[in-house]
Amino acid sequence: MDFQGPSAKLADGLGIWASSRDEVIVMEASSTEHTEDVPHSLGDSVKLIEGSIHALKVLGVQSILDRITLTTTRLAFDGQGWEHIEPRSAEIPAIWEDRVKLLRVAELMATVYNLLRDRERVMEEIRNEENGLAAVATDETLRAHQERSLLLMQLDDQQGCSHADDGDDI
């Protein structure tokens, strides 16, 4: 699934996975080195969050002033909503005396590399499962999850619970 939202079209940079043509990194430069346009920075932050929710395999990279931040969004552990997290952030050194800060930038780039490598492993596993090359436990299939959800809804209905559409359905 390509990240096709308006955020991708207006992004300052996109990282494309060569084999699948999927967007995997969306980049935003929200300020100059010395001055920050706060409304612009906030708008870029919202754009990255919205974009990463629409395409969970997308990493966000935002630079504000002398800081670069890596973000990603994942399904919350309880399955109820999303978590937008910041795996790494680094100050970009502007003068030679601050060159030691490049270590944090290198750590951020290594984190991007590791996250993309993990993504490729997961995508390969999914392809293998889809094509019957890897076994999937019966209770882990989409059908089994849907049947459990349906059963829980039926039990709730029997107990008189109502289900309001709160827009959080996956």
Side-chain angles (χ1 to χ4, degrees):
M1 174 176 98
D2 282 344
F3 177 55
Q4 298 284 341
S7 301
K9 293 178 178 77
L10 300 174
D12 294 327
L14 288 176
I16 307 292
W17 197 265
S19 61
S20 64
R21 305 297 301 154
D22 287 340
E23 290 91 358
V24 292
I25 300 175
V26 177
M27 295 169 274
E28 291 293 341
S30 302
S31 69
T32 66
E33 179 184 347
H34 301 290
T35 58
E36 179 182 8
D37 178 353
V38 174
H40 184 100
S41 295
L42 291 173
D44 282 352
S45 296
V46 169
K47 192 180 348 176
L48 285 172
I49 292 169
E50 287 176 347
S52 63
I53 288 173
H54 288 21
L56 289 177
K57 56 190 173 183
V58 173
L59 301 175
V61 177
Q62 185 173 20
S63 65
I64 300 175
L65 298 174
D66 62 349
R67 180 159 293 280
I68 185 169
T69 304
L70 172 65
T71 61
T72 188
T73 301
R74 66 181 180 205
L75 190 60
F77 288 114
D78 63 4
Q80 303 297 313
W82 312 102
E83 294 178 338
H84 191 72
I85 58 173
E86 179 184 306
R88 285 275 187 224
S89 184
E91 184 179 338
I92 302 168
I95 58 174
W96 180 248
E97 288 78 19
D98 289 340
R99 65 187 176 275
V100 72
K101 294 176 182 176
L102 284 172
L103 292 173
R104 296 284 185 196
V105 175
E107 287 175 351
L108 186 143
M109 296 307 297
T111 301
V112 168
Y113 174 80
N114 288 333
L115 289 170
L116 291 175
R117 196 176 72 199
D118 290 346
R119 174 199 182 274
E120 183 57 24
R121 276 193 226 122
V122 168
M123 295 306 291
E124 181 69 23
E125 185 177 330
I126 290 170
R127 284 190 294 271
N128 288 340
E129 290 173 357
E130 285 177 335
N131 292 301
L133 300 174
V136 179
T138 305
D139 63 334
E140 289 298 317
T141 64
L142 181 57
R143 175 175 287 154
H145 286 284
Q146 289 174 330
E147 288 172 354
R148 279 194 296 273
S149 294
L150 181 60
L151 180 61
L152 289 173
M153 287 175 57
Q154 290 171 346
L155 288 173
D156 284 348
D157 288 343
Q158 289 174 357
Q159 295 174 357
C161 297
S162 65
H163 292 279
D165 185 11
D166 57 8
D168 288 339
D169 294 337
I170 298 176

